[in-house]
């Protein structure tokens, strides 16, 4: 019996090294991959017609032509051969229809076409502007695989010199997302923009970032649509709802929470001002903490690490989770959630002193005499109001299942 070929995988294909002379590896069904002495890998289709072996038909080069695409072509060519016809003419048409994605400009146009159709008009406009104004003039004709971190940094530096540091950071992010897509298509192996740390390109002159209502919904929908662990999704959501600092949340302990009374008592030694702080939990926040309690893996910490030791997650964990998300929200950090909550609550006409106490800020003057339960009724009300406001932003255009927290 003839030996059956073991189907190829992308991992195996990547491991195939060139030899002094070219050689072939079969995927089965007439599809073979020829590994050239130069290192390039070419898909070909081997077939017989009227009982005679025919010259092989070239399908395309890997990875521009993916394994799945090559198999689909080979399957179609087999049907043509079964009808007694040579697939050569069809193969030529197929190769002519394949877009050349070798250079930055060619791939950039393809990326825009494939990935930007469902984005907002403003997002498409700013992305195209970054490519056409700065990226293409510098790198448009350069092969995609030859772009280096130095190339990206040079573009960012030129933009900063004309007094536009935020545009420099935006352009770096556009390049980063474009190369992430190229990696997913196996056209390149590394992302040159990832090596350029964002804070080295541009920083906010002052931290005054406030997320719009639309951006709040966009961030949290992206969180819940992502593949990050469920506890981390809830942590980010709770960071929005409770208005606490990141360190105060990730180090939370179960003995600090009174879920029946909906109060979280953060001890003084964990607070920035060394004063005990009470957080009056919304019904949504209580429901999230109860979910975490039902599935807890630590008797002490609400957000324990998964590394096998009983301690909270690292301070960088939530930052890394946010950075990994695919969303159209620029230039924000987790700490901006506190300012965002304060700004929108003030715009709703809520009492400033209660908002400041909810943020654990010190109020100057006689009104600032410390009382951990001061403005309790107002704080309970505004945190519930804030949770419902956030829910409304998530619901706007929602396409992912999040969970109806704290609702009947």
């Amino acid at each position: 019996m003839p030996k059956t070929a073991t189907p190829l995988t992308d991992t195996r294909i990547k491991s195939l090294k060139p030899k002094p002379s070219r050689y072939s590896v079969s995927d089965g069904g007439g599809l073979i991959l020829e590994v050239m002495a130069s290192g390039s890998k070419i898909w070909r289709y081997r077939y017989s017609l009227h009982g005679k072996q025919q010259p092989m038909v070239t399908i395309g080069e890997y990875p521009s032509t993916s394994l799945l695409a090559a198999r689909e072509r080979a399957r179609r060519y087999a049907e043509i051969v079964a009808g007694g016809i040579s697939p050569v003419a069809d193969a030529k048409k197929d190769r002519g229809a394949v877009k050349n994605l070798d250079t930055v400009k060619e791939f950039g146009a393809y990326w825009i076409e494939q990935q930007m159709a469902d984005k907002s008009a403003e997002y498409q406009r700013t992305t195209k502007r970054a490519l056409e104004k700065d990226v293409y003039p510098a790198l448009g004709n350069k092969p995609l695989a030859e772009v280096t971190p130095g190339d990206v940094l040079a573009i960012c530096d030129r933009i900063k010199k004309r007094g536009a540091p935020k545009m420099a950071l935006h352009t770096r992010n556009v390049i980063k997302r474009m190369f992430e897509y190229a990696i997913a298509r196996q056209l390149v192996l590394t992302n040159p923009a990832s090596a350029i740390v964002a804070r080295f390109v541009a920083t906010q002159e002052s931290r005054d970032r406030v997320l719009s209502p639309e951006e709040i919904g966009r961030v949290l929908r992206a969180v819940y649509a992502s593949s990050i662990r469920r506890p981390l999704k809830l942590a980010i959501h709770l960071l929005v709802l409770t208005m606490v600092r990141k360190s105060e949340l990730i180090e939370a302990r179960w003995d600090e929470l009174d879920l029946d009374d909906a109060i979280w008592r953060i001890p003084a030694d964990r607070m920035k001002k060394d004063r005990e702080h009470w957080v009056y939990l919304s019904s949504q926040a209580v429901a999230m903490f109860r979910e975490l309690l039902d599935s807890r893996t630590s008797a002490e910490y609400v957000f324990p690490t998964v590394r096998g030791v009983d301690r909270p997650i690292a301070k960088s964990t939530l930052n890394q989770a946010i950075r990994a998300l695919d969303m159209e929200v620029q230039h924000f950090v987790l700490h901006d959630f506190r300012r965002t909550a304060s700004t929108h609550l003030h715009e709703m006409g809520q009492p400033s002193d209660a908002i400041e106490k909810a943020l654990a800020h010190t109020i100057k003057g006689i009104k600032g005499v410390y009382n951990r339960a001061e403005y309790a009724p107002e704080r309970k009300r505004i945190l519930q109001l804030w949770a419902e406001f956030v829910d409304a932003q998530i619901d706007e255009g929602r396409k992912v299942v999040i969970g109806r927290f704290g609702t009947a």
Side-chain angles (χ1 to χ4, degrees), residues 80-142:
I80 293 171
V81 170
I85 302 170
S86 168
V88 170
D90 286 77
K92 286 181 179 179
K93 289 180 183 178
D94 289 338
R95 290 199 301 277
V98 174
K99 292 186 177 182
N100 187 352
L101 305 179
D102 292 342
T103 67
V104 171
K105 188 170 184 178
E106 289 163 345
F107 184 78
Y110 177 76
W111 174 59
I112 292 289
E113 176 187 301
Q114 296 295 313
Q115 294 292 295
M116 295 291 141
D118 61 343
K119 307 297 184 185
S120 68
E122 176 62 15
Y123 187 75
Q124 290 187 46
R125 186 188 70 78
T126 57
T127 300
K128 290 177 181 177
R129 180 174 178 271
L131 290 171
E132 292 169 359
K133 184 173 183 179
D134 294 296
V135 178
Y136 292 161
L139 302 175
N141 295 323
K142 190 164 189 173

Side-chain angles (χ1 to χ4, degrees), residues 209-226:
R209 179 73 160 95
V210 173
L211 276 71
S212 68
E214 181 187 14
E215 287 176 325
I216 295 168
R218 199 180 298 157
V219 168
L220 288 173
R221 286 195 298 272
V223 166
Y224 282 104
S226 73

Side-chain angles (χ1 to χ4, degrees), residues 252-266 277-282 285-287 289-290 293 302 380:
R253 299 169 186 261
W254 289 115
D255 59 10
E256 298 170 1
L257 291 162
D258 183 345
L259 297 181
D260 291 333
D261 285 341
I263 297 176
W264 174 16
R265 299 177 177 89
I266 307 177
H277 178 58
W278 289 11
V279 180
Y280 296 94
L281 301 172
S282 63
V286 169
F289 277 122
R290 288 197 186 280
L293 181 63
V302 179
K380 289 177 183 177

